[in-house]
C-alpha cells in the first residue's frame, strides 16, 4: 500500500531498499516485484549471501534497476575479519547476477559499495581494478564513519595519512582513466581531508563547498515508520 500510494503521489521515482539485510524478509521478493511492476526504479542493498541462482534470476526477470552488494574488504581475510564468513557467497553473487542479466537480456545494474578505512586502503584500488575487468557497473566508496562511542573500532581509522594520500591519488587516476568509480572527483579529493580532520567527525571540521541537496532529493522511511529527508 505504501508503494502504491507513493507511486500515485510522485509518479516514477527511484527506490533503494536496504537494511540490515533486506533479503532476510520472507516477503522481500514479493515487495521488490510489486515495486518493479509499478514502474518504480527499484534497487536493493544486500550483503549478497542470500543470492543464489534462483534469486538472481528472479531479480533480473522482474526488472530490477540495480543490485548493490556491500563489501568491507576485497581480500578474503579482510572480509572474514569484519563479517566472519561467507566471502565466497558474497563474491559469487556478482557472477550469478551477471549471468542472470545476460540470460534475461536486461539492463540490471550490478554495483558494490565499499567501506573505506585504514584497514583496507590498498584493497580499494584492487576492487576498482577488478570491477572494470569483471564488468561491474560501478563502485561507490564510502569512508568509514565512527560514532563518538565507537572506541573499540578506532583501530580501523587510518593512522598513516601519507598512505591515505597515495590511495586517493591512485583512485583519482583510475577515475580519470574511465574505471567504474561512481564517486565524483571532488568527493574523492576530500577523502584525505575527511580522515585527517578527526576520528569522530564533526561537520564543522570539514571544509564544504556548494549546497547540500539531500533535502530535495532524498525521502527516507525508517524501519519504525519515521519519515525524514536526511537520514
Amino acid at each position: 500500500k505504501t508503494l502504491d500510494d507513493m507511486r500515485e503521489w510522485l509518479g516514477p521515482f527511484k527506490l533503494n531498499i536496504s537494511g540490515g539485510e533486506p533479503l532476510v524478509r520472507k516477503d522481500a521478493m514479493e515487495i521488490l516485484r510489486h515495486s518493479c511492476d509499478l514502474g518504480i526504479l527499484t534497487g536493493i542493498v544486500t550483503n549478497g549471501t542470500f543470492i543464489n541462482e534462483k534469486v538472481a534470476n528472479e531479480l533480473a526477470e522482474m526488472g530490477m534497476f540495480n543490485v548493490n552488494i556491500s563489501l568491507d574488504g576485497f581480500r578474503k581475510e579482510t572480509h572474514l575479519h569484519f563479517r566472519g564468513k561467507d566471502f565466497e557467497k558474497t563474491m559469487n553473487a556478482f557472477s550469478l547476477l551477471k549471468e542472470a542479466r545476460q540470460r534475461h537480456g536486461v539492463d540490471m545494474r550490478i554495483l558494490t559499495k565499499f567501506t573505506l578505512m585504514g584497514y583496507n586502503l590498498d584493497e580499494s584500488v584492487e576492487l576498482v581494478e577488478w570491477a572494470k575487468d569483471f564488468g561491474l557497473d560501478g563502485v561507490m566508496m564510502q569512508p568509514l564513519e565512527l560514532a563518538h562511542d565507537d572506541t573499540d573500532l578506532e583501530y580501523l581509522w587510518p593512522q598513516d595519512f601519507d598512505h591515505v594520500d597515495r590511495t586517493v591519488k591512485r583512485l583519482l587516476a583510475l577515475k580519470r582513466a574511465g574505471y567504474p568509480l561512481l564517486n565524483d572527483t571532488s568527493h574523492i579529493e576530500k577523502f584525505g581531508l575527511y580522515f585527517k580532520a578527526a576520528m569522530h567527525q564533526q561537520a564543522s571540521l570539514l571544509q564544504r563547498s556548494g549546497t547540500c541537496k539531500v533535502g530535495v532529493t532524498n525521502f527516507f522511511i525508517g524501519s519504525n515508520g519515521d519519515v525524514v529527508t536526511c537520514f
Side-chain angles (χ1 to χ4, degrees):
K1 185 180 184 305
T2 299
L3 291 172
D4 291 341
D5 290 347
M6 290 185 68
R7 179 63 172 84
E8 182 179 354
W9 171 38
L10 296 170
F13 65 95
K14 187 174 185 294
L15 171 73
N16 265 321
I17 295 180
S18 62
E21 173 49 54
L23 292 179
V24 167
R25 289 184 63 112
K26 293 181 179 180
D27 59 355
M29 300 300 283
E30 180 183 356
I31 294 170
L32 293 171
R33 182 176 292 277
H34 185 66
S35 182
C36 290
D37 287 346
L38 290 171
I40 297 168
L41 296 177
T42 307
I44 187 172
V45 182
T46 172
N47 63 29
T49 59
F50 288 86
I51 297 179
N52 53 28
E53 186 174 354
K54 179 177 181 295
V55 171
N57 275 317
E58 285 188 43
L59 292 172
E61 181 270 330
M62 71 176 65
M64 289 285 288
F65 180 68
N66 69 59
V67 180
N68 193 329
I69 297 178
S70 300
L71 282 176
D72 293 329
F74 183 60
R75 302 172 192 166
K76 182 175 181 179
E77 58 270 23
T78 308
H79 179 89
L80 294 179
H81 176 80
F82 292 109
R83 307 257 178 181
K85 60 179 181 178
D86 293 332
F87 178 74
E88 287 79 9
K89 285 185 178 180
T90 297
M91 296 307 295
N92 190 47
F94 290 109
S95 297
L96 292 172
L97 290 166
K98 185 178 179 181
E99 292 166 4
R101 177 173 67 182
Q102 293 171 341
R103 187 178 299 115
H104 292 275
V106 295
D107 187 28
M108 178 177 68
R109 301 177 188 183
I110 306 170
L111 312 169
T112 185
K113 178 175 280 189
F114 186 81
T115 306
L116 187 67
M117 55 191 115
Y119 204 86
N120 62 14
L121 286 173
D122 290 331
E123 294 174 50
S124 66
V125 176
E126 294 174 11
L127 174 61
V128 176
E129 292 173 335
W130 169 82
K132 183 177 182 181
D133 292 339
F134 181 81
L136 213 63
D137 295 294
V139 178
M140 175 62 75
M141 295 287 164
Q142 175 63 55
L144 177 69
E145 182 178 351
L146 291 181
H148 66 88
D149 56 351
D150 284 337
T151 54
D152 58 330
L153 298 178
E154 288 180 356
Y155 75 96
L156 300 176
W157 199 262
Q159 304 300 318
D160 183 348
F161 295 124
D162 288 336
H163 191 188
V164 173
D165 290 339
R166 290 194 299 271
T167 301
V168 168
K169 288 180 181 178
R170 294 171 72 189
L171 291 173
L172 285 170
L174 293 175
K175 173 74 174 180
R176 290 168 181 143
Y179 281 70
L181 184 53
L182 297 179
N183 305 72
D184 63 42
T185 299
S186 64
H187 188 209
I188 300 169
E189 290 171 341
K190 289 185 174 70
F191 288 171
L193 176 65
Y194 172 80
F195 283 126
K196 293 171 189 176
M199 185 175 297
H200 303 291
Q201 290 297 324
Q202 301 293 327
S204 60
L205 294 175
L206 295 177
Q207 298 175 9
R208 296 181 179 273
S209 60
T211 301
C212 176
K213 295 182 173 62
V214 70
V216 295
T217 59
N218 282 22
F219 185 86
F220 181 78
I221 304 175
S223 57
N224 64 349
D226 283 353
V227 178
V228 294
T229 54
C230 179
F231 52 84

